[in-house]
Amino acid sequence: MAVVDLGGKAVVITGGARGLGAATARSVVDGGGRVLITDVLEAEGAETAAELGDAARFLRHDVTSEGDWEAVLAHAVSEFGRIDGLVNNAGISTGQFLEHESVEDFRRVIDINLVGVFIGIRTAIPLMRANGGGSIVNISSAAGLTGLALTAGYGASKWGVRGLSKIGAVELAEDRIRVNSVHPGMTLTPMTAPIGIAAGEGNYPGAPLGRVGLPEEIAAAVAFLLSDAAGYMTGAELAVDGGWTAGLTVKYLTGR
């Protein structure tokens, strides 16, 4: 996997203890940046930061708490002197049909997946503005690009993240704060492992590329958006989904 130049940049990544968040933290460090990993999974988060060495830190973080957000970003400034990037990755999912999902579960998913992103963006704005700009990458989903069954709260939250990213891009452009969303397809992470997916060619015919994604493949796209190479990109929605949301699969189009 190619390394993106993130030399000198300081990045905060929520939900960074494992899966996509941990892979993104590795990409940042490999690119020469420094990273503050946050999560509610304290043992796993501390272990991931320790594996990444001196360029990484860990802090426990409930993304629904305004106080936690203020403490996290203040800690990043204390440790690194600045904040150049924010990756809003923390999220949860439920697998219920709309009519069976409880109001409590729906609200919890929205609170973590969408309200948490809103609080993070709002808290980061003055700090990034003071630096002359920055990059915010919000992790949405393929379920934020198309209607997907069994994702009532999750899909609604990810559509919300997509829209919030565009609003942020428009409002913050004059401050040179770029806001983009990334939309992973089915990716092999601890969150998706329970449904029985597996890595390897031919294991996921639902996508034209015929396989699920790997965390490092999504992380590479996030690292690009954090970098100066994406300096003219804001308000973009980047699908990294093996062609899943592009339309019918190759199998259906060709008959093979």
Side-chain angles (χ1 to χ4, degrees), residues 84 128-129 132-135 172-179 231 234:
D84 301 287
M128 288 188 170
R129 183 183 288 133
S135 174
L172 301 175
E174 290 187 0
D175 293 311
R176 296 299 180 259
I177 299 173
R178 299 182 294 105
V179 188
T234 194

Side-chain angles (χ1 to χ4, degrees), residues 95-135:
Q96 299 287 334
F97 281 111
L98 190 155
E99 67 174 309
H100 299 310
E101 184 150 343
S102 70
V103 173
E104 292 77 12
D105 282 348
F106 188 88
R107 283 180 173 153
R108 180 168 177 261
V109 172
I110 295 295
D111 206 24
I112 293 171
N113 292 10
L114 179 56
V115 178
V117 172
F118 162 72
I119 300 171
I121 294 172
R122 192 185 66 178
T123 310
I125 289 170
L127 300 173
M128 288 188 170
R129 183 183 288 133
N131 292 340
S135 174

Side-chain angles (χ1 to χ4, degrees), residues 139-148 151 154-155 158-159 162 181-187 204 207 218 238-246:
I139 306 302
S140 179
S141 169
L145 294 172
T146 187
L148 188 63
T151 67
Y154 180 79
K158 295 304 186 179
W159 277 85
R162 176 188 180 190
S181 59
V182 172
H183 299 256
M186 189 61 72
T187 306
Y204 193 66
I218 314 302
L238 187 56
V240 191
D241 64 356
W244 188 14
T245 57

